Amino acid sequence: MAKKTERGAAPAYRRRKEHRPDEIIAAGLEEFYEHGFSGARLDRIAQSAGISRATLYLYFENKEALFAAVADHAIGTFIDSQAHELTSVEGSTRDLIERMVRTFYREIVSHKSSAILRILISEGERYPTLVERYHRIIMTRGRQTLRAILDRGIARGEIRPGPAAKFEEIIPAPAMFYLIVHMVFGAHQQIDADVFLEAHLDLLFNGLLTPEARDTT
Amino acid sequence: MAKKTERGAAPAYRRRKEHRPDEIIAAGLEEFYEHGFSGARLDRIAQSAGISRATLYLYFENKEALFAAVADHAIGTFIDSQAHELTSVEGSTRDLIERMVRTFYREIVSHKSSAILRILISEGERYPTLVERYHRIIMTRGRQTLRAILDRGIARGEIRPGPAAKFEEIIPAPAMFYLIVHMVFGAHQQIDADVFLEAHLDLLFNGLLTPEARDTT
Amino acid sequence: MAKKTERGAAPAYRRRKEHRPDEIIAAGLEEFYEHGFSGARLDRIAQSAGISRATLYLYFENKEALFAAVADHAIGTFIDSQAHELTSVEGSTRDLIERMVRTFYREIVSHKSSAILRILISEGERYPTLVERYHRIIMTRGRQTLRAILDRGIARGEIRPGPAAKFEEIIPAPAMFYLIVHMVFGAHQQIDADVFLEAHLDLLFNGLLTPEARDTT
Amino acid sequence: MAKKTERGAAPAYRRRKEHRPDEIIAAGLEEFYEHGFSGARLDRIAQSAGISRATLYLYFENKEALFAAVADHAIGTFIDSQAHELTSVEGSTRDLIERMVRTFYREIVSHKSSAILRILISEGERYPTLVERYHRIIMTRGRQTLRAILDRGIARGEIRPGPAAKFEEIIPAPAMFYLIVHMVFGAHQQIDADVFLEAHLDLLFNGLLTPEARDTT
DNA sequence: CATGAATGAGTCTTCATTCAT
DNA sequence: GATGAATGAAGACTCATTCAT
């Protein structure tokens, strides 16, 4: 509740056009994340950023522009963080998948991506542009890498062709559950990230059923 | 002047009075779903329900009370729809799992559960009570059934013990991906529900890797 | 300064959708007249009209719409007040001119037309639509009557053809001086309306009429 | 720290400093003319003058002071431009009148005097001082000259005594019509200045002068 | 001298909520 | 019961004005 940055007797008159936008965006992310677009108060954002309400308007044209900047920044951060993981598709398929999934969880746990997701879920309907950009950038790019891994795995005989392998998103899919539960019920139920991750990998690698049980129709 | 009620005459056309709250709640669900709490306009809800704004206050104390009623109703509906699926734990484990998962998708595709989820995600932070109730009722109950199925499967030798089987939520987890993508990117990317469901089941039943590939570390 | 209508312990809750708009428009005319568009405060208008600021929005979409309504009303009033003067073009030219000019002064002295004029002068540049409507309605209509009188006068030998008679607006033109001086310097220099009117008529009679027509009372 | 003034060094490129106020005033006249006092933006004025908003405050204490300066300047300019026309009252009355009226139109057409007038009309109520000064300076001075011409004309038998000759302002009065119409409806109705001027003179000559005086060119 | 940066004091506008009928 | 009318409270946004450099 008292999240106001509290810089402790701030030196009244700071001038630093350089860092302001970042500070505002950080404060904005927090606020939009917690209250959604309509619920967000420029008042609080300004206060968190340690500036006056009017000063916001020196950096962003209006609430919507600020929101767009926040969303952009969050997405950008996400992309950057993923970028260097996707470089080489080498080694065993098992390793590749494991590395990707682990990266995923590392990102998910970070505040940022939950924030993006929550914002997209809450305000998406109102900001088709935002949704579209996010979709184009994230979804498409991630999928291509996954597809490549799967195809290569099938070609190398490491992956069993079948319905699952047709859907590249199936690889990260279970993680979404963790993300949502963490986001919504975080206060009530702490899912152990490591345990969940192991379960996820185990599912991916081995499947659930024993060979015998599979054929028991 | 104020004799409009016509209490002595023929009441004939009075018949929807008891249904009013339902209509309001339905309209409210739609509105809260689309705009979140702060973004929702009592105006629009009233209009959708075919009544005047002031009339809302005859049924609900204020916006928050209406929201609570909407959320309650949605959760209640969800619970009811699941209740009769969980009765008997009989037959092969494979069948049990398949039935549960299919039920899940059927529910997910229905508007209602997306609505709850979106509301929980958007407004959860502000309504801990809501979150807590939902968590207690849904999560807990659902998990117990899943756990039972898994334990029974392991006992019957149909399920391979391991990290995945330790986490009962792993069963429905991938569906969350579908739900979120559908909700957020529905307009931009139509995931084929059937294909995704097959992939989900395939993953659960067989796993991704071939036996040979699994051991190739 | 304390022009607030002061209705003396108003009966708090009056409901009368009928008269409200008129009261608001009256208050608006006063306010826009005195302060121009940007200078006008909805606050004051509401107070003058004896309602709350929010209530304004029940009747007018926004400040601009209110302004448009005020302007429309003022113009409408002006038109109506002139309409019944222009009916018959009969009698001696001298009489016709005298009647028109006297009507003019009567109108000019009324608050309304100064108000329109001031608003047009102050805000015209910003509201081309308003200017255009006013121009089309007022200027055009008045001119036609004047032209008719002059043409008829020339045909009847009562008006000396010449540069002056070619410009119908020359008839009311001097009155504009009175209007402006009255409006701007009213507080410092009280022009005697009657004396000015006599001078105006004297100038017109001698300047326009033929010697014979002058004495035809 | 505050030694920037560099009083000893080479001032070389300092040369417009004294002109700054003039540029600001010019920009201000334009802005106040177009938008009125409340509508005027210091922002735009500064930009027009090619300086920063803060710099305005080096020359003028605040918006009102700037406005006063603008008004003063405009009035001053007007006075100067008239001054040298009023020197000698010699020649035929007809000539005198014609010269005065022509001067009037020449001034009127110039942007400046419209500007003053618009400002007086729009903001006069709020700046009684301004109005008073303008009134004292302009109205009074102009009237004296006109009075002198009329009295001399009557004495010389060139002007017909009568109601019109009692009111010296009747001479320039019609021009006010032109000015206002030009200012307000300029975009919609182009009054031909020359034609209007001829009509004005024709009316004055025939309305004021005795038959004999009329033809004395 | 000049100005970029910052802000307090408004101003319009919206909206949940309350009454009188 | 139902509602048209009204409004207080609050929020986004603007702008004249002030500093520190």
Side-chain angles (χ1 to χ4, degrees):
Chain A
M1 214 171 257
K3 205 164 287 177
K4 321 276 174 69
T5 314
E6 287 282 347
R7 223 166 290 233
Y13 227 79
R14 264 167 306 146
R15 178 126 39 112
R16 28 169 215 206
K17 188 152 191 172
E18 324 288 289
H19 302 301
R20 274 289 149 72
D22 290 347
E23 292 169 16
I24 295 172
I25 282 175
L29 180 62
E30 195 65 34
E31 178 77 7
F32 285 123
Y33 173 70
E34 282 182 12
H35 302 281
F37 183 79
S38 344
R41 298 286 160 252
L42 292 185
D43 219 1
R44 280 191 294 247
I45 294 177
Q47 200 165 36
S48 282
I51 58 176
S52 89
R53 215 174 333 156
T55 303
L56 283 181
Y57 289 86
L58 292 182
Y59 298 95
F60 302 96
E61 206 176 326
N62 53 29
K63 192 182 185 180
E64 195 154 335
L66 171 55
F67 177 70
V70 165
D72 271 23
H73 180 80
I75 291 176
T77 304
F78 185 74
I79 293 172
D80 293 347
S81 73
Q82 294 253 299
H84 55 342
E85 298 287 344
L86 310 175
T87 47
S88 61
V89 180
E90 285 174 19
S92 75
T93 298
R94 191 196 145 110
D95 272 7
L96 283 172
I97 289 178
E98 181 163 3
R99 269 167 46 207
M100 283 223 67
V101 171
R102 288 194 184 278
T103 304
F104 224 83
Y105 277 83
R106 213 179 308 124
E107 277 309 311
I108 279 172
V109 171
S110 92
H111 188 60
K112 283 280 166 59
S113 67
S114 312
I116 305 174
L117 192 62
R118 170 169 285 177
I119 288 176
L120 283 173
I121 290 171
S122 306
E123 311 292 342
E125 215 109 352
R126 199 188 316 223
Y127 295 96
T129 318
L130 179 67
V131 170
E132 208 234 294
R133 282 200 39 239
Y134 187 81
H135 179 250
R136 189 157 26 84
I137 297 175
I138 304 294
M139 295 295 285
T140 309
R141 182 180 309 195
R143 276 172 71 189
Q144 288 169 344
T145 311
L146 293 171
R147 185 72 262 157
I149 294 175
L150 286 176
D151 287 344
R152 177 170 166 280
I154 291 172
R156 292 172 51 154
E158 291 176 329
I159 286 185
R160 172 183 59 82
K166 286 211 185 100
F167 231 95
E168 56 273 16
E169 290 102 327
I170 205 72
I171 293 177
M176 188 67 81
F177 182 88
Y178 173 78
L179 176 50
I180 296 295
V181 170
H182 183 72
M183 190 159 79
V184 176
F185 299 116
H188 298 80
Q189 175 188 9
Q190 294 293 352
I191 296 189
D192 186 322
D194 292 331
V195 177
F196 192 88
L197 171 55
E198 291 313 319
H200 184 171
L201 284 176
D202 186 45
L203 179 69
L204 288 182
F205 293 156
N206 298 287
L208 274 176
L209 302 180
T210 55
E212 302 81 45
R214 266 176 227 144
D215 306 323
T216 312
T217 312
Chain B
M1 212 172 256
K3 68 174 64 165
K4 280 184 189 162
T5 326
E6 292 274 350
R7 209 167 295 206
Y13 49 80
R14 192 157 30 97
R15 158 214 39 147
R16 310 177 31 234
K17 217 175 308 179
E18 294 90 50
H19 298 296
R20 273 287 154 70
D22 289 351
E23 291 168 16
I24 296 172
I25 283 173
L29 178 62
E30 196 64 35
E31 180 75 7
F32 285 121
Y33 172 68
E34 283 184 11
H35 302 281
F37 183 79
S38 336
R41 298 284 162 256
L42 292 185
D43 217 3
R44 282 192 292 247
I45 294 177
Q47 198 167 26
S48 284
I51 57 175
S52 91
R53 217 177 335 162
T55 304
L56 284 180
Y57 288 83
L58 293 181
Y59 297 97
F60 303 97
E61 204 175 83
N62 53 28
K63 194 182 185 180
E64 194 152 338
L66 170 55
F67 177 72
V70 165
D72 271 24
H73 180 78
I75 291 176
T77 303
F78 185 73
I79 293 171
D80 293 347
S81 74
Q82 294 251 301
H84 55 342
E85 298 287 344
L86 310 174
T87 47
S88 61
V89 180
E90 285 175 17
S92 73
T93 298
R94 190 195 146 109
D95 271 7
L96 282 171
I97 289 178
E98 181 164 1
R99 269 168 45 208
M100 283 224 67
V101 172
R102 288 194 183 277
T103 303
F104 223 81
Y105 277 83
R106 214 178 308 124
E107 277 310 312
I108 279 172
V109 171
S110 92
H111 189 61
K112 283 281 164 58
S113 66
S114 312
I116 306 174
L117 191 62
R118 173 170 284 178
I119 287 176
L120 282 172
I121 291 171
S122 307
E123 310 296 339
E125 214 110 348
R126 197 193 318 228
Y127 297 97
T129 319
L130 180 68
V131 170
E132 206 233 296
R133 280 196 46 235
Y134 185 83
H135 180 248
R136 186 157 26 84
I137 296 175
I138 303 295
M139 294 297 285
T140 309
R141 183 179 309 191
R143 277 171 71 188
Q144 287 170 345
T145 310
L146 293 171
R147 186 70 262 155
I149 293 173
L150 287 176
D151 286 345
R152 177 170 165 280
I154 292 172
R156 290 173 53 156
E158 292 176 327
I159 287 184
R160 173 183 58 81
K166 284 211 186 100
F167 231 95
E168 55 274 17
E169 290 102 328
I170 205 73
I171 292 176
M176 188 66 83
F177 182 87
Y178 173 78
L179 176 50
I180 296 296
V181 169
H182 183 73
M183 191 157 79
V184 176
F185 298 117
H188 299 275
Q189 176 186 10
Q190 294 292 352
I191 295 189
D192 186 321
D194 291 330
V195 177
F196 192 87
L197 171 55
E198 292 313 318
H200 183 172
L201 284 175
D202 186 47
L203 179 70
L204 288 181
F205 292 156
N206 298 288
L208 276 176
L209 302 181
T210 54
E212 302 81 49
R214 265 177 227 145
D215 305 325
T216 312
T217 313
Chain C
M1 214 171 257
K3 205 164 281 177
K4 323 274 177 72
T5 315
E6 287 282 346
R7 223 165 288 232
Y13 228 79
R14 263 168 305 145
R15 178 125 40 111
R16 27 169 215 204
K17 188 153 192 173
E18 323 288 288
H19 303 301
R20 276 286 149 75
D22 291 348
E23 291 169 17
I24 295 173
I25 283 174
L29 179 62
E30 195 65 33
E31 178 76 7
F32 285 122
Y33 173 69
E34 283 182 11
H35 301 279
F37 182 80
S38 345
R41 297 286 161 252
L42 292 185
D43 220 2
R44 280 191 293 246
I45 295 177
Q47 200 165 36
S48 283
I51 57 177
S52 90
R53 215 176 333 155
T55 303
L56 284 180
Y57 289 84
L58 292 182
Y59 298 95
F60 302 97
E61 206 176 325
N62 52 31
K63 193 182 186 181
E64 193 153 337
L66 171 55
F67 177 72
V70 165
D72 271 22
H73 180 79
I75 291 176
T77 304
F78 185 74
I79 292 173
D80 293 346
S81 74
Q82 293 254 300
H84 55 346
E85 298 287 345
L86 310 174
T87 46
S88 62
V89 181
E90 285 174 20
S92 75
T93 299
R94 189 195 146 110
D95 272 7
L96 282 172
I97 289 178
E98 181 163 2
R99 268 168 45 208
M100 283 223 67
V101 172
R102 287 194 184 278
T103 303
F104 225 83
Y105 277 83
R106 216 178 307 124
E107 277 309 312
I108 279 172
V109 172
S110 92
H111 186 62
K112 282 282 165 56
S113 66
S114 312
I116 305 174
L117 192 63
R118 170 170 286 178
I119 288 175
L120 283 172
I121 291 171
S122 307
E123 311 293 340
E125 215 108 351
R126 197 190 319 225
Y127 296 96
T129 319
L130 179 67
V131 170
E132 206 233 296
R133 281 199 43 237
Y134 187 82
H135 180 250
R136 187 157 26 84
I137 296 175
I138 304 295
M139 295 296 284
T140 310
R141 183 180 308 194
R143 278 171 70 188
Q144 287 171 343
T145 310
L146 294 171
R147 185 71 263 155
I149 293 174
L150 286 177
D151 287 344
R152 176 170 166 280
I154 292 172
R156 290 171 54 153
E158 292 176 327
I159 286 187
R160 173 183 59 81
K166 284 212 185 97
F167 231 94
E168 55 273 15
E169 289 102 327
I170 205 71
I171 293 178
M176 188 66 83
F177 181 88
Y178 173 77
L179 176 50
I180 296 296
V181 169
H182 183 74
M183 190 158 78
V184 176
F185 300 116
H188 300 276
Q189 175 187 10
Q190 293 294 352
I191 296 189
D192 187 321
D194 292 332
V195 178
F196 192 87
L197 172 55
E198 292 313 319
H200 183 171
L201 284 175
D202 186 44
L203 183 70
L204 286 182
F205 290 159
N206 288 282
L208 284 174
L209 301 180
T210 53
E212 305 79 46
R214 263 175 230 148
D215 308 322
T216 311
T217 315
Chain D
M1 214 172 254
K3 67 175 63 166
K4 279 186 190 159
T5 325
E6 292 275 350
R7 211 166 292 209
Y13 49 81
R14 192 154 33 96
R15 157 214 41 144
R16 310 178 31 235
K17 218 175 310 179
E18 293 90 52
H19 298 296
R20 272 288 153 70
D22 289 351
E23 292 168 18
I24 295 173
I25 282 173
L29 178 62
E30 196 64 35
E31 179 76 7
F32 285 122
Y33 171 68
E34 282 184 10
H35 301 281
F37 183 80
S38 335
R41 299 284 163 256
L42 293 185
D43 217 3
R44 281 192 293 247
I45 294 176
Q47 197 167 28
S48 284
I51 58 175
S52 89
R53 218 176 335 161
T55 304
L56 284 180
Y57 288 83
L58 293 180
Y59 297 97
F60 303 96
E61 201 175 88
N62 53 28
K63 193 181 187 182
E64 193 151 339
L66 171 55
F67 177 73
V70 165
D72 271 23
H73 180 79
I75 291 175
T77 303
F78 185 74
I79 293 172
D80 293 347
S81 74
Q82 293 253 300
H84 56 338
E85 297 287 345
L86 309 173
T87 46
S88 61
V89 180
E90 285 174 19
S92 75
T93 298
R94 190 197 145 109
D95 272 6
L96 283 171
I97 288 178
E98 183 164 359
R99 269 169 44 208
M100 284 224 67
V101 172
R102 287 193 184 279
T103 304
F104 223 82
Y105 278 82
R106 214 178 308 124
E107 277 310 311
I108 279 173
V109 171
S110 91
H111 190 62
K112 283 282 165 55
S113 67
S114 311
I116 306 174
L117 192 62
R118 172 170 285 178
I119 286 175
L120 283 171
I121 291 171
S122 306
E123 311 295 340
E125 214 109 350
R126 196 191 320 224
Y127 297 95
T129 320
L130 179 68
V131 170
E132 207 233 295
R133 282 197 42 236
Y134 186 83
H135 180 249
R136 186 156 28 82
I137 298 175
I138 304 295
M139 294 296 286
T140 311
R141 181 180 310 191
R143 277 171 72 189
Q144 288 169 346
T145 311
L146 292 171
R147 186 72 263 157
I149 294 175
L150 286 175
D151 286 345
R152 176 168 165 282
I154 292 172
R156 290 171 54 155
E158 290 175 328
I159 285 187
R160 171 183 59 81
K166 285 209 184 98
F167 231 95
E168 55 274 16
E169 289 101 329
I170 206 73
I171 292 177
M176 189 64 83
F177 181 88
Y178 172 78
L179 176 51
I180 295 295
V181 169
H182 183 74
M183 190 158 79
V184 176
F185 300 117
H188 297 81
Q189 176 186 10
Q190 294 293 352
I191 296 189
D192 186 320
D194 292 331
V195 178
F196 192 88
L197 171 54
E198 291 313 317
H200 184 172
L201 284 175
D202 186 45
L203 183 69
L204 287 182
F205 291 159
N206 288 283
L208 285 175
L209 301 180
T210 54
E212 304 78 45
R214 260 174 233 149
D215 307 323
T216 313
T217 312

